[in-house]
Amino acid sequence: MSMKSRGMVGGELAKNFMPRNWALLMCLGSFCAGMLFTNRMWMVPEAEGIVKPSTLEDFETNLKSEDGDPKLKVVQRSSNESIGTLDKTISKLEMKLTEGRAAHESVMDGFSISENLKNDETSMKRKYFMVIGINTAFSSRKRRDSVRATWMPQGDKRKKLEEEKGIVIRFVIGHSSTPGGVLDKAIEAEEMVHGDFLRLQDHVEGYMELSAKTKSYFSTAVALWDAEFYIKVDDDVHVNLATLGTTLSRHSMKPRVYIGCMKSGPVLARKGVRYHEPQYWKFGEVGNHYFRHATGQLYALSKDVATYISINQHILHKYANEDVSLGSWLIGLDVEHVDDRRLCCGTPPDCEWKAQAGNICVASFDWKCSGICKSVERIADVHQRCGEDENALWSASF
C-alpha cells in the first residue's frame, strides 16, 4: 500500500476517533444516572403512619385502618434482609399455629373419648327383668315379716335374685305426716335390719292417698331401675315369683301391656259405703259400672306404660279407688289389657287344686278381704299348700 493510501486511512480514523476525556465523562455520567434510577426504585423512604410489623399479628393489624375498614397498606423493605426476616417470622408463626391446632385436636379427641366412655357406661347400665313393689303401711310390720318368711327371699338370696335373675323386690312406703317422728324412725330401724324398703320421698302415707302413692311408686321405680316390667302387689297377697316371671315373659315383645285380673264393678254413689266414689257422676247415670281395669291386689305394667305414668304423674287424675285411678290413666291409650286369672286365685283349696293339676297360680288371696284374710296367721299355710317348688325360681329363665 502506498503512503498516500495510508495517509488517507489514518486521516479518516483520526477524524472519527472520540477523545479519551469525553469517553470517560460519558461513562461516569451513565453510572451516576444508573445509580440514581436504582435508588428511586428500591430506596423509598417510609411514610409517616406506616408501622413496620414485627409479627404476623402486627402485620394483620396494619391491614385495617383505624375506623375498622380493611385497607391494603404496602410495607416496603429497604433490602432483601428485611424481607427474609419477615418470611422467617411468618414461618415461625405458622409452625406455632400448626402446633396449637394439633394440641387442640388432641384435647378434643380426648374429650370425645371421655364422652364416649360416659355414654358407654350409661348404655351399660344394669337392666332388670322386673321390679316388684309391695305396698305396705306403718302399721303392717307383722305382715311384712310374714311375707319375708314365705315368698320373699331374704339376705344374700335376695341379692342373688337381683344379680342373677334381674328381679328387684322392695316394700314401698312413704313418710308420716310428722317427718322424723316415731313412725319414720321405726321404718328406718327396720330398714337397717333388712334393707328391703323403697321410701317414697314425696309421698305422705294415708288410706285416701293410695292413688297418689301408686303414681309416686311407678315414678320412683322407673327412675331407679331400668326394667321390662313394674309390678304392684299388696302385702297380704301370696305370690309365686317363678310363675309370675314366666307369665310376664310371654309378653316381653309387646311394647305396651297392662296385665292383671280385669274387672268392672259398680260405681258406688251412696256415701258411707266402702269404695264410695265421690265423683260417681263422671261415669254416667247412677248404677253404671266402671270401665275395665285390673284389680288392685296385683298388676303389672310394661316399661313404656310405667314411664308414661312417671312423666305425666302431675296431671293424672286421682279417683277414690287406686285400681280405678290406674285404669283411668290407661283407658285412652294404645295399651293392651291382658286379663290373666292366674293373678287372682283364691286361697286353699282353690290354689291348691290348681297347683296339683300343674296350673300353679301367680297370686292368691280372698276376694271378701281384698287380700288373704288374717294373712299374718294364714300366709304360711297358703305358701306351703300353693307355693311353687323351692328351686323353681332359680331354675327358671325369663
Side-chain angles (χ1 to χ4, degrees), residues 229 247-248 250-262 292-294 299-306 326-327 329-340:
F229 296 97
T247 299
L248 296 180
R250 299 189 184 100
H251 306 283
S252 291
M253 301 306 294
K254 299 175 182 178
R256 295 173 298 278
V257 289
Y258 170 33
I259 306 169
C261 289
M262 300 295 164
R292 290 283 174 182
H293 60 279
Y299 52 77
L301 303 179
S302 60
K303 179 181 178 179
D304 285 354
V305 180
L326 180 70
W329 302 336
L330 308 183
I331 193 68
L333 303 181
D334 186 14
V335 173
E336 180 180 350
H337 289 52
V338 177
D339 182 20
D340 193 329

Side-chain angles (χ1 to χ4, degrees), residues 213-258:
K213 185 174 183 177
T214 299
K215 291 196 294 183
S216 182
Y217 160 62
F218 284 116
S219 178
T220 305
V222 167
L224 291 176
W225 299 286
D226 181 10
E228 290 186 49
F229 296 97
Y230 298 85
I231 297 93
K232 177 262 176 180
V233 60
D234 289 339
D235 61 3
D236 55 354
V237 172
H238 180 268
V239 178
N240 284 317
L241 292 175
T243 308
L244 173 61
T246 54
T247 299
L248 296 180
S249 64
R250 299 189 184 100
H251 306 283
S252 291
M253 301 306 294
K254 299 175 182 178
R256 295 173 298 278
V257 289
Y258 170 33

